Structure formats: C-alpha cells, structure tokens
Amino acid sequence: MSGIEITNLRKSFGNVKAIEEMTLTIPNGVFCVILGPSGCGKSTMLNCVAGLEDVTSGTIKIGGRDVTNLPPHARDIAMVFQSSLLYPHLTALQNVRMSLKNSDTGAVEAKRRIDHAVGILEIASVLDKKPGAMSGGQRQRVAMAKAIVRNPTAFLMDEPLAALDAALRQSLRPELAALQRQLGTTTIFVTHDQVEAMTLGDLIVVMNDGRVEQIGTPDEIYNNPATKFVAAFIGSPPMNFFEGQVEDLNNGPALRTQYGPIAIPRHLFDRMGGRAHSLGVRPQHIDINRTKTDGSIPGTVFAIENLGKESVIILHDTAGHDYRVLVGPDHGYSVGESTYMCPDLSQAHLF
Amino acid sequence: MASRAEARIQNEAKLALKRIELSNRQFAMLLALPVILFLVMVMAYPMGYAIWLSMQEVSFFGGFRTSFVGIENYREALYSDNFWWSVRVTVQFVSVSVVLAMLIGLGLALLMHRVRRGRALLGTIIILPWSMSLYGAGVMWQYLARGQSGVASSLINRMLGRTTPDTAVEYSLISSEQIVNLLALGNAWNLAPLVAFFLLANLKTIPERLYDLARVDRLNIWQRFLNVTLPPLQYTLFVFTTITLILSMKLLDFIFVMSAGGPGDASATLTFRLFDLAFRQSNYGLSAAISFYLLFLIIGSALALFFFWGRRLEDT
Ligand SMILES: Nc1ncnc2c1ncn2[C@@H]1O[C@H](COP(=O)(O)OP(=O)(O)OP(=O)(O)O)[C@@H](O)[C@H]1O
Ligand SMILES: [Mg+2]
C-alpha cells in the first residue's frame, strides 16, 4: 500500500505559480523531507496535501484514497505547524484533546490514546501549562502529542523545529526520527535546513522555485546531485564551482578556464558532453599548495574559519569568486597568502 | 595614595547610585504626581461643594438661603418612587447599551477583518457615528423615531400599502414602551465604532495558521470563534465593557435631546432625574444626594465587573 501519492500537482495564486509541477510517491512508513530555500513552495505543497489549500490541478492520494477534494479533517492526517503552533489559551492537555474533540473516537479510546501519547512524549509534567508558559521544546512535544493521538495515516510537519535554538534542535531531531520509526507513520516534513533534511529523511525532495530538483535518499542527493542547484544547496561548507567551457581536446576532455584547462575524467564528460560549463568540487576534495602544479588554479587566502578539528580556508580568485577548502588544523596558511588549488577530479561533478 | 583616590571614587559612585535609585513604583508615582495634584485641585472644590450641598435644604424665597438637614436628602431619595423608577430605567438603559455596543462593535470588527476590497471606505463609514457629537446624534435619532415622518411610521405604512394622508397611521417610536431600548440603541450606535476598531487591532494579531489548525481539528464555526477568535479579544472586551458602562451611566445630552426623559418619565435615567431636579425644580439638595447614589452605582458596578471578570483575565 502506498503512503502518499502526488500526481501532477500544480498550484497558482493568481499569476504566481507557487508549484509548477510536482509528482511524488512516498512509500508507506517513509519519512520524506521536503527541502528548499524560502519561498520555493514547500508550505504551499504541504497545505495542498493537508487540504488547507485547493489544488489548481493534479491529484493527491493518501493511503490509496483520493483525497484531492476532501476537507482537511476527512483526509486522515495530522499536522504540526511552524513553531509548533498550539491554541494559546488552552492548557497542553486541552490542546491535545482538541484533536479528538470532533472525531468519532469514543471517550475510552480517546483517553487511552492521550495517555499513550503523554507517556511516549514525556509531557505529563506540563499538561496543565499553557503554551506561553512552556519552553520551545515542551511546546514541540505537546504539538507532537496532539498529532499522534489522531492515529493518522500521515503526519504533515511544516518546519516544526524552526523556532528552536540550535542545541535544542539537535537534541529533538533524533527523538523525532525515533518516534516516527516507532510509529511507522508516513511523514512529510518541510524544512529549509539541510542538516535537518540529511539527518531525518529516508527520502529527500529538493525543491526550487516551485519545481522538484531531485528526489532521492540523503546519500544520492549528496553524492550524485542531479542539478547544480542541488549540489550548491546541500553540503556545508558548500560545493565549489569552477566555471568555463568544456571541450574535447586532443589530450582528452577538459574545462577551459581563464587559468588554463582543467582535465576532466572521461566518464564525467561522456555523461554531460559539451553542454556543461561548471565543474563542482566539494571543499574536502580540493588540495591547496604554495607551488603551482599542472592544472592548479591560483587563489588568495581571503579568510580562515577555524572549526576546531578542521579549518575552512576561503580563497578568492582574481575575479573575486569564493572557493572554500577544508584543511586540517595545522595548515599553516595565513590571510593574504597566494596559493594554488588542486581539485580531486575523481570526486568532481559536471553541470 | 592611589588606593585612597580609588576608595573616594567608589564612595562617590555609591552615593550617586543611592541618589538616583527609585523603585519602578516610586518612579511611576513621581510621574503621576502632577496629574494627581491637578486632579485633586480641580476635583476637590466641586466634590466638596456637592457633598455640602447634598446635606442642605436650599430655598430661594427671600434670597438664597440654605439650612443644614443632615442625611435627610439621602433618606428622601430612598423613599421616593421616582428615584427607584430612575434606577430601574438606568439599569435597563445601561445594560442594553453595553450589550449592544459590544455586539455591534464585535460584528463591525469581524466585518472589517474579513473584507478585502474597499476596506478603507468601509472603515471610514464605520467610524463616522463615533465622530458625531451626541447632541447631533440625539437630534438625528429623534427625527428617525418620531411619528408622522419617522422611520417606524413610514415602514409600517409602506408595508400596509397606506400611501394617502387619510389612511396613513402614525407610529412614534418615542412614545412606545421601547423608548429606553431605542435610546440604548442610539447610544450603542455611537459607541460601537470605537469598540470595533480596538477589537480589529486585536483580531489582526491572531496568526492565520491558528485558523488552519482549527480546520484540521474540525472545529465548527462556533468552536472556532470560541477557541481562536475570542481569546485575544477578552481583555479589550472587558476594558470596553467597563468604559461603555461608565459612559452610559453618566450620559445626559443624548437622552436630553432625543426623549427628554419622556414620554412622561419613561426614560428618565438617574442623570436626567438629577438634572431635572436641580435645574428645573431647583431642588439642589436632593439632586446632589442622588448624584452621589449615581456615583456609588458607577463605582460599584465597575468594581463588580472587575471582580467577576477582569480579575480572572490577569493570569491568562
Ligand atoms: N496565499 C498566497 N497568496 C499569494 N501568493 C502566495 C500565497 N501563499 C504563498 N504564496 C507565494 O507562493 C510562493 C511559495 O510560498 P510558500 O509559502 O509555499 O514558500 P515556502 O517554501 O514555504 O517558504 P518559507 O520557507 O519562507 O516558508 C511564494 O512566492 C509566495 O509568495
Ligand atoms: Mg513555509
């Protein structure tokens, strides 16, 4: 049985195309993360699945049932909103109860589910508190409890961790993943944070400008980015791009840059041909030297970010482009030095 | 040497701190002091004079004379049917005024909140009644309510198809039993716009997402109103209930113009009664005594509102 199937979904607000075209199948029980920059249509997509927005065209199936024209409460979903929104004047317990107030769940069953949710989320001590008197983490747990008591076919979450501080987010992430695995409920989780996406998702959907850029597992997305956008968006520090023209020269294919040609492995060239114009290399796949070697690119050290166990050296070429290189802590470089970058071409990507 | 200089500097710093250290409460008192002094000066004389007056028997025969009668005026008021009638009228007028002002205000606020197009024009139209003087409003409502050319007569005649002068009936709202409610409606009409704009400001603070949450939770329209829309309005509703209550209790000009306490004394509120006693019947003593009963009524009901409602809002 399929969890969520979205087919040819389109959504416009007047002239604004919030979602241009989206087809996505999420298998049952899978944690799917929708990742993309602000304004790319993530929330709109989730609202369409939840039934809070009408679709312009396309169909949405949840648990094999066509729900495209059903109201939110009839879709058998539970939603956690941004900042773990709760009714501000109700206590945690009243908030959780609200989920079942108008459902056909009997009183005994409702109580059993609420007790169960309170147990696994460990919120017994805040049940009488109002959201204003709870910490961000507690609010998030209550919002989760409110969602799971519905026993839904799918969870929909719109940046539930966005308003929390980094430390709390880090501790809640694995809990959320564990909870989802334990419940086995198909989940769509919207975020603009790539770390959240990589750590939580079984499946990641990268969106940009209302379109799907790539669908894949975290590994696939990181190691085989389908587009330059995905390559640039995923990974921290971000991937470096060398711009130029790809040509098949006598001594093999190469990217012609203003600093001379960079040789490209044959298998990469065969996939992209002459259409490509940038070579992407991750910061950990670039070596820097003080001396010029064949195919190296000159760069001046612009800044050094010390991360403790490693450092990021930010280089500028003569045109002022940024390049980031990951080096060990004892690199010995200082700002203003002239260096040469040697990309590891076996780990490069062409776009 | 150095340590001595240091000690002196520290000492001075301590002194300086001591000199300017005021608690928040003290600072607030300091700021409020000029106003309090001014109010005391402005209020003390008339207040004292009113207290004195309420214990005098004033007569104009052979020049202005007063004689001390103690609490006789207060006693006389309590034994007078007119006084108790006026209390009844006041309570009815104020209750209906407050309820209507809040309901109309809330309705207008919800309307302005939901309307997308022509919002500015709508806002302008809605605020107009408030910007009208109560005297002018009284004249207008009186025109609308009177017989012959009033709204009620016109509507009834139109519905019955009586369009000639000899068949037309005359139905005056002013002479009906509804006069107190009609006055309250006019009063609420004047007060509601201000209530509406303050409530609108509160409505604007409700996150739209809360309505989405209510939809996912399948709340019906009434539950949604109760759980999403109403909670952030409570404080404003309380404040304006208190304000409209006080304004309505001390209202005179609108009633004076529109019904003049009539017909008979059907709409003689306490304010109208004491105005009538003082300036038409020259019974200053009794009038002053009644004015203190009105003051107690205002303070009492405002306190009651706070005790049963406002106090509970503080912890939310
Ligand atoms: N109700 C609406 N009316 C008009 N345009 C809208 C509406 N809602 C969203 N949009 C537009 O649709 C696009 C996508 O918006 P959406 O809220 O889905 O972005 P998002 O990816 O969730 O961004 P964020 O990360 O900032 O929440 C934006 O360009 C936005 O301006
Ligand atoms: Mg969003």
Side-chain angles (χ1 to χ4, degrees):
Chain A
M1 188 185 82
S2 169
I4 301 174
E5 276 175 76
I6 300 169
T7 317
N8 298 327
L9 172 67
R10 283 165 208 268
K11 173 70 188 175
S12 316
F13 298 100
N15 294 330
V16 183
K17 281 189 185 161
I19 300 175
E20 270 185 27
E21 161 89 65
M22 183 173 204
T23 297
L24 172 65
T25 303
I26 304 171
N28 198 22
V30 161
F31 198 122
C32 172
V33 176
I34 311 287
L35 176 66
S38 190
C40 71
K42 307 181 296 287
S43 297
T44 307
M45 174 261 176
L46 201 68
N47 288 344
C48 289
V49 177
L52 296 169
E53 296 276 9
D54 295 328
V55 304
T56 304
S57 68
T59 56
I60 295 167
K61 286 187 182 175
I62 297 176
R65 197 164 55 111
D66 188 340
V67 298
T68 314
N69 297 313
L70 295 181
H73 58 79
R75 294 187 175 204
D76 201 14
I77 49 127
M79 194 151 174
V80 179
F81 291 91
Q82 187 155 6
S83 315
S84 304
L85 190 69
L86 296 167
Y87 300 104
H89 71 294
L90 296 182
T91 64
L93 182 62
Q94 289 168 328
N95 262 291
V96 174
R97 279 206 190 117
M98 219 45 156
S99 278
L100 298 174
K101 190 181 173 89
N102 291 349
S103 71
D104 353 306
T105 319
V108 179
E109 171 65 6
K111 181 165 168 19
R112 194 191 61 75
R113 285 196 209 167
I114 291 173
D115 288 346
H116 178 68
V118 167
I120 53 179
L121 285 153
E122 299 167 8
I123 51 169
S125 61
V126 296
L127 287 181
D128 304 328
K129 286 191 181 171
K130 292 186 179 172
M134 292 184 231
S135 72
Q138 289 168 338
R139 264 202 298 278
Q140 211 273 329
R141 284 161 196 274
V142 173
M144 272 311 294
K146 182 166 162 48
I148 69 177
V149 295
R150 294 174 74 92
N151 234 349
T153 307
F155 287 133
L156 308 178
M157 309 188 190
D158 191 352
E159 312 208 24
L161 307 179
L164 305 177
D165 65 64
L168 193 54
R169 229 179 309 168
Q170 203 161 19
S171 71
L172 285 173
R173 250 191 272 129
E175 278 183 36
L176 191 62
L179 181 65
Q180 193 270 343
R181 228 175 298 123
Q182 183 189 343
L183 298 170
T185 309
T186 314
T187 301
I188 302 184
F189 182 102
V190 161
T191 182
H192 62 259
D193 180 350
Q194 50 151 324
V195 181
E196 246 167 47
M198 297 296 280
T199 51
L200 285 172
D202 299 320
L203 189 68
I204 297 182
V205 178
V206 183
M207 283 184 74
N208 182 30
D209 243 355
R211 276 173 293 104
V212 173
E213 294 272 337
Q214 186 173 4
I215 302 175
T217 64
D219 266 355
E220 285 166 358
I221 300 267
Y222 186 80
N223 295 320
N224 297 309
T227 63
K228 189 176 172 186
F229 175 82
V230 176
F233 197 68
I234 304 281
S236 169
M239 189 182 272
N240 299 296
F241 295 98
F242 299 97
E243 313 288 339
Q245 192 58 50
V246 173
E247 281 168 20
D248 200 354
L249 305 171
N250 333 342
N251 51 348
L255 179 78
R256 267 231 316 258
T257 69
Q258 57 185 120
Y259 311 106
I262 305 174
I264 292 170
R266 175 61 66 180
H267 71 272
L268 271 184
F269 176 78
D270 288 347
R271 209 168 342 131
M272 287 296 290
R275 281 172 296 134
H277 47 77
S278 55
L279 181 76
V281 189
R282 295 216 180 266
Q284 62 270 39
H285 299 139
I286 298 182
D287 263 345
I288 56 174
N289 295 305
R290 291 204 168 83
T291 51
K292 185 170 167 59
T293 53
D294 202 29
S296 66
I297 299 128
T300 311
V301 179
F302 174 71
I304 298 172
E305 290 174 343
N306 187 352
L307 304 177
K309 77 174 176 26
E310 57 198 6
S311 291
V312 182
I313 297 188
I314 302 171
L315 301 158
H316 273 182
D317 66 8
T318 47
H321 284 296
D322 272 0
Y323 299 92
R324 286 180 163 75
V325 179
L326 217 48
V327 294
D330 317 314
H331 53 80
Y333 290 98
S334 51
V335 174
E337 242 178 289
S338 294
T339 64
Y340 296 89
M341 295 178 264
C342 292
D344 175 357
L345 293 169
S346 65
Q347 306 273 12
H349 306 268
L350 266 189
F351 301 103
Chain B
M1 257 327 257
S3 69
R4 229 215 216 136
E6 248 169 47
R8 212 190 59 207
I9 290 170
Q10 268 179 8
N11 221 8
E12 266 177 15
K14 247 187 229 158
L15 277 178
L17 266 182
K18 215 173 236 168
R19 236 177 289 137
I20 58 163
E21 215 169 307
L22 281 178
S23 71
N24 280 347
R25 176 185 290 242
Q26 287 169 325
F27 185 61
M29 290 298 262
L30 191 67
L31 286 185
L33 201 60
V35 178
I36 293 173
L37 280 179
F38 178 75
L39 279 181
V40 167
M41 285 189 319
V42 174
M43 299 278 295
Y45 177 74
M47 197 74 176
Y49 185 70
I51 293 174
W52 175 80
L53 198 58
S54 70
M55 298 192 217
Q56 304 292 320
E57 173 85 49
V58 181
S59 60
F60 287 96
F61 295 109
F64 179 80
R65 269 184 300 118
T66 62
S67 50
F68 182 75
V69 292
I71 59 163
E72 176 56 29
N73 286 323
Y74 291 93
R75 225 172 59 86
E76 186 185 338
L78 291 186
Y79 281 102
S80 131
D81 290 341
N82 282 344
F83 171 75
W84 286 111
W85 170 253
S86 287
V87 170
R88 228 216 70 177
V89 170
T90 302
V91 169
Q92 185 190 347
F93 171 73
V94 171
S95 323
V96 178
S97 289
V98 169
V99 170
L100 284 181
M102 301 324 275
L103 286 180
I104 297 173
L106 186 59
L108 291 176
L110 289 172
L111 181 70
M112 284 190 282
H113 187 49
R114 285 291 156 222
V115 163
R116 302 245 172 264
R117 250 181 235 180
R119 187 182 295 188
L121 182 67
L122 184 70
T124 311
I125 293 172
I126 287 176
I127 198 74
L128 277 178
W130 176 72
S131 54
M132 195 158 170
S133 87
L134 276 169
Y135 190 95
V139 173
M140 188 188 89
W141 278 81
Q142 202 225 346
Y143 269 80
L144 290 176
R146 68 183 183 182
Q148 290 191 350
S149 59
V151 168
S153 304
S154 311
L155 281 180
I156 287 170
N157 285 322
R158 166 50 63 99
M159 277 191 294
L160 298 178
R162 294 171 170 170
T163 45
T164 55
D166 44 321
T167 54
V169 291
E170 191 181 318
Y171 187 81
S172 168
L173 288 173
I174 290 182
S175 59
S176 73
E177 300 92 65
Q178 295 299 323
I179 182 61
V180 177
N181 294 335
L182 192 68
L183 282 168
L185 178 67
N187 183 29
W189 173 83
N190 187 272
L191 291 170
L194 194 63
V195 178
F197 275 91
F198 273 81
L199 289 177
L200 179 63
N202 282 335
L203 286 174
K204 296 280 181 214
T205 66
I206 303 176
E208 272 302 309
R209 277 306 221 179
L210 222 40
Y211 286 100
D212 287 342
L213 187 65
R215 282 176 70 196
V216 174
D217 283 345
R218 200 184 183 173
L219 300 193
N220 62 37
I221 196 165
W222 172 243
Q223 291 168 330
R224 193 181 65 193
F225 176 73
L226 226 53
N227 288 298
V228 180
T229 311
L230 197 56
L233 305 183
Q234 291 184 75
Y235 201 75
T236 303
L237 284 175
F238 164 69
V239 169
F240 273 92
T241 300
T242 312
I243 292 177
T244 51
L245 179 108
I246 294 172
L247 287 180
S248 305
M249 279 217 193
K250 67 189 194 69
L251 184 71
L252 175 65
D253 43 4
F254 181 70
I255 299 171
F256 178 73
V257 175
M258 185 169 159
S259 73
D265 62 357
S267 60
T269 56
L270 281 171
T271 48
F272 187 82
R273 179 75 65 192
L274 64 93
F275 162 80
D276 192 61
L277 279 171
F279 301 109
R280 288 198 179 141
Q281 303 177 29
S282 299
N283 194 343
Y284 290 104
L286 184 58
S287 175
I290 291 180
S291 78
F292 278 99
Y293 282 123
L294 178 61
L295 183 67
F296 297 147
L297 193 60
I298 290 176
I299 293 174
S301 44
L303 283 179
L305 260 185
F306 177 76
F307 188 81
F308 289 111
W309 183 5
R311 215 168 42 129
R312 272 151 226 238
L313 291 176
E314 276 178 43
D315 55 59
T316 52

